[in-house]
Amino acid sequence: MKRVVYSGIEGRSLGYWSMMGVLALFILLAAGSFLYMEHSGHHVTGMNNQIVWGIPHVFAIFLIVAASGALNVASISSVFNQSIYKPMARMSAILALTLLAGGLVVLLLDLGRADRLIVAITTYNFKSIFAWNIMLYTGFFVIVLTYLWTMFDPAMHKHTRKAGTAAFIWRLVLTTGTGSIFGFLSARQGYDAAIMAPMFIIMSFAFGKAFFLILLLGIYNLTNRSISADLIERLKNLFGVFVAAVLYFAVVFHITNLYAAEHADYESFILVNGGIYTAIFWIGQVLIGGVIPLILLYSPMFAHSVKSIVTASILVIVGGFANIYGIVVGGQVFPLSLFPGQEVSSSFGDGVVNSYVPSLPEILLGLGGVAVAMGLFLFAIKVLRLVPNNLNAEHTETTSEVPC
Amino acid sequence: MLIDRLKVRIAIVSVVLGALFATSFMAQSQSDAENSSSALNKQVTTGESCVKDTSWMRRNHMELLKHDRDRTLRQGIRPVDGSIKECVNCHATKDDHGQQLSINAEGEFCAGCHSFASVSIDCFDCHSTKPEESVVGTRR
Amino acid sequence: MSQKNMNNSEDKLVDAGVLSCQNKSRRNFLGKAAGASVIIAPGVTLIGISSAQSNTDVDGADSSKRWGMLIDTNQCAEGCNDCVSACQQENGWGEGSTDESHSNPEQQAQWIRTVTVRDKDTGHTNQLPMMCQHCAEPPCVDVCPTGASMQRADGIVLVDKHICIGCRYCMMACPYKARSFVHESLHDQKAYAPRGKGTVEACTLCVHRVDKGEQPACVESCSSGAMLFGDINDTNSEISKKLKEVGSTQIRADLGANPSVRYSGL
Ligand code: SF4
C-alpha cells in the first residue's frame, strides 16, 4: 500500500500563464459586456419579450448542470467505495465548485437588476422553484467545501464518507431542481414534462464527466505525471455509459411527447421542420454530442487513445451545449398555444415561430462564465494540493485510506 | 468545535464592523442634516408644510417611503404619508421659462441632497420625476 | 363616498399613531382624490364599487372582492384598437410615449394586444383583446423567486418593481405572454404607473383607477361595449349577472390558473 501524494501543479510555465492570460482576457471581455448590457439595458441583446432567456442562460444552465456532474468521481469514491477513484476525489470536488461558480456568475449578471443581488439572496418566495435553486446552490458550496475539508484534514478523514454522501444526495436534488425550473412551466409545450428532472441528472453526469476528463488528462499530460491505462479505461467506460444514457433519455423524451397529442406540433418542430432548431437537435445534440463520441469511445479503431477520449469529451460538451440551447431557446421560439387547434395572429407574434439571434455581448458574457470556472480551477490546482503525483496502479488499487 | 469557534469569531467580527459602520453613518447623516444649508435644499414649492417636520423628514423620509410603498402597492392602501408621488408634486420646480424640471435633475430637490450625501437612489428608474398632470394645472 | 368619510378615516389612523400628519395640503390632496367621482362608461353601471370604496382606499384591497372582466368577442370590432391605445395613453407605454425608442418591436412593452383567432375548419374569425388575465392561481406569482410578482387581496396581479430582480422567470411561466420586460432606461413614465429598466411589468388592471372607484382605461375606451369590468365575487354586480347568463370561457382553462378575465362568444 503506497501513500497517495498530492501536490499543486507548478504553474510557472509559459503554458500555464498563457492559459491564464487567455482566460483573463475572456473574463475581462465578459465584464465589459456586462457593464455594457447593464448600462444600456437589454435592448442591446438579442433577447426580447418572446425570447426572455437567451444564450447567457444556456451557458449558465449548462455550467450548473455540469458542476453537479463533475462531482461524480468524488461521489463514486466516497459513497460507493470505489477506491480506485479516491485519489481524484479532490479534483472532482473542486471542479464542481468552480463550474458552479462560473454558471452562477453568468446567471446573476444577466439579471435585469443585477444590482439587486442582495434582494435575490434575502427575499424569498418559498413557493418558487427558482428560489429553491438559489438555496440549493448555496448549500452545494457549503457541503462540497466541507467534503473537501474532510478530505484534506487527516483528523476529519473519518467523516469523508458521510460528507460525500451528503454531497451526493445534495447534488441529485440540485440537478432535479435545475431540471424542474423547466419542468414546472406547464404553459410551454417544450417544457411540460416530468422527465425533465431525471434527464437533467443524466445530462449532468455526462457533461461533468466530459469537463473532468479533459482537465484530468490535460493536466497529467502537460505536467508529465503518469496515470494508469486501467484507470483511463474505467473512466472512459463510465463516460460512455453516461453519453449513451443521455441519448436514450432524449429518445424517450421525444417519443413520450409524440404520444401526447397536444405536444405533436412541438415535436414536429424540433424533429422535422424547425429549421435551425431541428439542425441543433440532430446535428448538435444527437450526432456531435452522442453518436460520434460513442464511436470514438468504443470503436476499436479509436478506443485506446487518450486523444480520442479527449476529443469525445470536447464533442460531448459541444453537443451538450446544443442540447441545452435546444431546450432553453427552442422551447421559447415555439409559439405558446393560446387557442389549441385554432389559428392565431397578432401584432405580437402570436402563432408564429419567433427568432432569436444572440448578440456578441451575450455570447461574451456566457464565455466569461466558462473562463471563470476554468480560471478558478487552474488557480486552485496550483495553490492547493489537489492533484495526485501519479495515478498508477499501486496507488489506486489500495484503499488509500491514508493521510496525504 | 472548530466550526463553532470560527462561527463565534465571524459573528463577533461582523457585529463590531456593523456597529462601527452604523455609528459612523449615523454621525455622518446627523451632521449632514444639521449642516445642510437652505441652498442645498430647494424650498417646498406648494402646500404649507410637509407630512412631518423638516428635520424629521431629512433623516427619516426613506423609512417612511419604504414603509408606505409596501402598504400602497401590496395592500392597496391609498392614503399614505410616504407617497413619492406627493414628494414630486410638492417639491418639483420649474425653471425661469416655466419649464417643468425633473426632481432628480442636478441641484433639484432630491438630487441636491443626495449628491451631497453621495447616496444614490433608484427611485426614479421607475417613478416619474415630474408632478402629475392634474396637479400641474391646479396647484401652480 | 364623501370627503368627510375620507378625512375621518385618516383621523382614525392619526389617532392610532399610524400617521401623524398635521398638514393641510395632505388633506387637500386626499379631498381632491376623493372628490373624483366614479366615472362610468355609457351603458355600463357598476354597482357595488362606489359603495365599498372607502374600504378600498383606507383598509386597502378588499379580499371579499375579485376584480375581473368579461370580454364579449362578438362585440369586439374587427380592426379596432381602441383598448390598446387607451392603455398606452393611460400607462405611458407604446405609441405616444417618447420612451423605448432603442428597443425593437419585440422588445417594446405590450401590456395589451389584440389577437385574431381563426377557426381552421370553418374560417370563422374572432378578434379579442389579450392582456394579463389576473389569474386566481397565477403561475407568475408561484415561480417568482423574490415575491415581486404578487396578487392583491382583491385578485389583481402586480409586479412589485421595488424587489423585482429582472430574472424573467415569470415571463417564462405566463401562458398568455402578458408580461413585458423593460429593455432600456425610461424617462416618460406616468406618475401613477411607475415602470423602469430591468424590471418586468404587465397590465395592472389600472389598479390606480380601480382604487378610486373607476374602471380600467381599456374598458372605458371600448365603444362597442365588448368589455365589462366588475367584482365577480359579488353576485349582484353587472358582470356576475352577465357571467351567469351567457356562456364564457377562460383561455387555457386546462392549465388550472383560473383567470379572472373571461371571454364569451368563442
Ligand atoms: S422578473 Fe421580477 S417579477 Fe418576474 S419572476 Fe423575476 S423577480 Fe419576479
Side-chain angles (χ1 to χ4, degrees):
Chain A
M1 189 192 282
K2 277 185 85 179
R3 281 157 58 103
V4 180
V5 181
Y6 296 89
S7 64
I9 61 166
E10 199 177 344
R12 273 189 303 230
S13 66
L14 186 63
Y16 181 82
W17 284 117
S18 39
M19 249 190 286
M20 282 306 232
V22 171
L23 293 174
L25 181 71
F26 271 101
I27 294 173
L28 273 179
L29 286 174
S33 305
F34 161 68
L35 290 175
Y36 174 60
M37 281 162 57
E38 171 83 357
H39 179 257
S40 341
H42 274 61
H43 77 85
V44 296
T45 71
M47 291 179 258
N48 54 42
N49 287 330
Q50 323 264 6
I51 313 298
V52 302
W53 286 356
I55 209 152
H57 282 79
V58 179
F59 274 102
I61 292 165
F62 179 70
L63 287 171
I64 291 169
V65 167
S68 146
L71 196 63
N72 229 351
V73 170
S75 298
I76 295 174
S77 76
S78 309
V79 183
F80 302 109
N81 244 342
Q82 293 281 330
S83 51
I84 183 171
Y85 291 114
K86 194 150 252 166
M88 294 178 293
R90 296 177 176 190
M91 270 170 77
S92 155
I94 215 79
L95 179 61
L97 289 179
T98 61
L99 285 173
L100 184 62
L104 288 183
V105 164
V106 181
L107 199 64
L108 291 174
L109 294 186
D110 184 55
L111 291 179
R113 298 293 313 236
D115 53 324
R116 288 190 182 155
L117 175 60
I118 196 77
V119 174
I121 54 181
T122 53
T123 326
Y124 284 120
N125 164 23
F126 288 96
K127 260 184 124 178
S128 164
I129 185 80
F130 215 75
W132 280 64
N133 269 285
I134 299 174
M135 284 179 275
L136 288 172
Y137 301 148
T138 323
F140 189 78
F141 275 110
V142 175
I143 291 181
V144 175
L145 279 173
T146 317
Y147 180 31
L148 267 172
W149 177 27
T150 68
M151 288 193 271
F152 269 101
D153 185 348
M156 294 290 287
H157 278 349
K158 54 181 182 295
H159 300 300
T160 303
R161 180 114 197 248
K162 271 176 266 166
T165 312
F168 175 68
I169 295 171
W170 195 269
R171 83 188 171 97
L172 289 186
V173 178
L174 182 138
T175 317
T176 311
T178 313
S180 305
I181 287 182
F182 296 97
F184 275 59
L185 298 174
S186 55
R188 296 196 183 250
Q189 288 197 44
Y191 299 150
D192 173 24
I195 198 178
M196 276 288 183
M199 194 166 83
F200 267 69
I201 291 183
I202 287 299
M203 276 155 45
S204 86
F205 288 177
F207 307 165
K209 198 57 165 269
F211 272 108
F212 186 76
L213 279 172
I214 294 172
L215 291 168
L216 179 80
L217 297 174
I219 291 167
Y220 275 72
N221 193 359
L222 292 173
T223 60
N224 286 324
R225 302 184 189 212
S226 67
I227 181 166
S228 74
D230 174 49
L231 184 65
I232 297 183
E233 187 71 17
R234 287 210 197 190
L235 285 168
K236 183 203 87 174
N237 284 337
L238 194 61
F239 181 48
V241 171
F242 293 154
V243 174
V246 171
L247 262 189
Y248 170 74
F249 264 82
V251 170
V252 174
F253 175 79
H254 288 291
I255 286 183
T256 48
N257 244 357
L258 274 175
Y259 197 69
E262 73 265 27
H263 293 322
D265 291 348
Y266 177 71
E267 284 307 316
S268 67
F269 174 71
I270 292 294
L271 300 180
V272 187
N273 52 20
I276 177 88
Y277 298 96
T278 305
I280 284 173
F281 176 76
W282 288 112
I283 299 177
Q285 184 179 339
V286 176
L287 201 64
I288 298 180
V291 175
I292 301 180
L294 283 177
I295 295 174
L296 283 176
L297 293 176
Y298 289 115
S299 147
M301 257 199 313
F302 310 100
H304 299 291
S305 94
V306 168
K307 246 191 215 135
S308 69
I309 299 180
V310 172
T311 315
S313 303
I314 294 174
L315 292 181
V316 166
I317 288 178
V318 173
F321 190 80
N323 186 345
I324 305 263
Y325 191 94
I327 293 175
V328 174
V329 179
Q332 291 176 85
V333 290
F334 191 74
L336 281 168
S337 136
L338 284 177
F339 302 91
Q342 315 231 41
E343 269 175 28
V344 286
S345 58
S346 78
S347 57
F348 192 48
D350 285 289
V352 297
V353 173
N354 303 296
S355 74
Y356 169 67
V357 184
S359 67
L360 187 62
E362 288 168 85
I363 298 174
L364 290 177
L365 176 62
L367 286 173
V370 182
V372 165
M374 294 299 104
L376 284 175
F377 180 79
L378 289 184
F379 179 70
I381 58 169
K382 176 176 174 170
V383 298
L384 296 174
R385 286 173 301 143
L386 293 164
V387 190
N389 278 359
N390 71 58
L391 282 170
N392 287 332
E394 70 268 29
H395 295 97
T396 52
E397 256 150 34
T398 62
T399 58
S400 52
E401 281 289 2
V402 278
C404 51
Chain B
M1 332 109 308
L2 202 60
I3 288 203
D4 283 347
R5 270 223 306 277
L6 198 66
K7 258 194 210 153
V8 171
R9 250 181 249 163
I10 292 177
I12 293 174
V13 170
S14 43
V15 167
V16 171
L17 281 180
L20 276 177
F21 182 72
T23 39
S24 69
F25 185 75
M26 260 145 61
Q28 157 96 28
S29 54
Q30 197 91 2
S31 63
D32 282 353
E34 271 139 31
N35 296 347
S36 62
S37 59
S38 54
L40 249 186
N41 266 338
K42 287 264 176 173
Q43 286 304 302
V44 176
T45 56
T46 47
E48 283 142 53
S49 67
C50 198
V51 290
K52 302 233 181 190
D53 64 73
T54 311
S55 62
W56 190 93
M57 283 306 276
R58 277 203 184 128
R59 261 171 238 152
N60 303 313
H61 64 283
M62 57 302 232
E63 298 305 329
L64 184 66
L65 284 167
K66 200 167 175 194
H67 175 258
D68 284 354
R69 80 176 195 199
D70 291 342
R71 302 205 318 149
T72 310
L73 172 63
R74 298 191 157 252
Q75 297 166 26
I77 299 169
R78 289 286 172 172
V80 291
D81 269 4
S83 158
I84 196 169
K85 227 178 348 182
E86 289 303 298
C87 301
V88 176
N89 283 347
C90 278
H91 292 289
T93 57
K94 291 185 174 169
D95 68 6
D96 298 342
H97 311 291
Q99 279 290 324
Q100 184 66 55
L101 295 169
S102 288
I103 196 162
N104 64 341
E106 208 178 317
E108 289 305 299
F109 187 77
C110 292
C113 249
H114 274 278
S115 54
F116 178 78
S118 45
V119 175
S120 71
I121 50 169
D122 60 2
C123 307
F124 299 108
D125 285 5
C126 289
H127 284 283
S128 171
T129 57
K130 300 192 173 152
E132 289 173 275
E133 279 146 42
S134 56
V135 176
V136 177
T138 54
R139 284 198 153 182
R140 247 145 255 236
Chain C
M1 67 163 292
S2 67
Q3 182 170 334
K4 195 165 151 270
N5 241 337
M6 191 76 163
N7 285 340
N8 274 346
S9 31
E10 195 190 0
D11 286 340
K12 258 184 255 152
L13 288 174
V14 173
D15 291 340
V18 176
L19 305 167
S20 58
C21 63
Q22 4 84 316
N23 64 312
K24 269 198 190 135
S25 62
R26 278 293 305 170
R27 296 270 166 85
N28 288 345
F29 161 69
L30 291 172
K32 190 159 54 69
S37 60
V38 186
I39 302 161
I40 294 172
V44 186
T45 31
L46 284 166
I47 312 150
I49 293 186
S50 46
S51 58
Q53 195 211 331
S54 56
N55 243 354
T56 316
D57 267 354
V58 179
D59 299 336
D62 180 350
S63 62
S64 68
K65 292 186 186 312
R66 179 176 171 196
W67 296 119
M69 264 193 219
L70 172 60
I71 291 161
D72 185 347
T73 58
N74 287 328
Q75 306 279 346
C76 180
E78 197 93 48
C80 170
N81 210 34
D82 288 354
C83 53
V84 179
S85 315
C87 180
Q88 292 178 329
Q89 219 172 24
E90 178 74 19
N91 295 300
W93 59 274
E95 222 151 289
S97 158
T98 55
D99 281 329
E100 293 194 82
S101 55
H102 299 98
S103 302
N104 65 41
E106 301 277 271
Q107 292 172 329
Q108 286 162 356
Q110 282 274 353
W111 289 24
I112 180 171
R113 64 189 190 273
T114 54
V115 175
T116 310
V117 189
R118 185 172 161 276
D119 191 305
K120 274 185 204 153
D121 299 330
T122 64
H124 177 75
T125 61
N126 264 329
Q127 177 184 303
L128 51 88
M130 187 70 189
M131 72 306 261
C132 173
Q133 305 282 295
H134 298 278
C135 310
E137 306 286 341
C140 54
V141 174
D142 284 349
V143 301
C144 175
T146 65
S149 283
M150 43 122 351
Q151 187 183 38
R152 292 204 332 174
D154 55 8
I156 299 180
V157 175
L158 298 173
V159 180
D160 183 348
K161 288 158 191 126
H162 302 115
I163 60 169
C164 171
I165 54 174
C167 68
R168 286 119 54 215
Y169 195 25
C170 53
M171 300 175 76
M172 292 289 271
C174 178
Y176 307 103
K177 246 181 7 186
R179 295 198 152 194
S180 308
F181 177 72
V182 180
H183 288 74
E184 59 179 293
S185 297
L186 307 181
H187 306 284
D188 194 19
Q189 299 97 330
K190 301 282 180 190
Y192 41 77
R195 46 192 298 258
K197 179 175 87 178
T199 58
V200 164
E201 57 183 19
C203 154
T204 63
L205 211 62
C206 282
V207 66
H208 58 286
R209 296 170 65 109
V210 172
D211 281 351
K212 281 193 287 183
E214 297 171 16
Q215 304 189 57
C218 55
V219 177
E220 201 173 282
S221 77
C222 179
S223 50
S224 49
M227 300 174 92
L228 181 59
F229 168 83
D231 177 7
I232 52 182
N233 274 354
D234 174 3
T235 45
N236 287 319
S237 68
E238 178 94 350
I239 188 172
S240 296
K241 289 182 193 158
K242 194 71 184 270
L243 280 169
K244 198 168 175 192
E245 180 192 318
V246 301
S248 65
T249 41
Q250 297 172 325
I251 296 176
R252 289 305 305 268
D254 57 317
L255 297 174
N258 190 3
S260 298
V261 177
R262 284 176 162 268
Y263 293 80
S264 67
L266 277 176

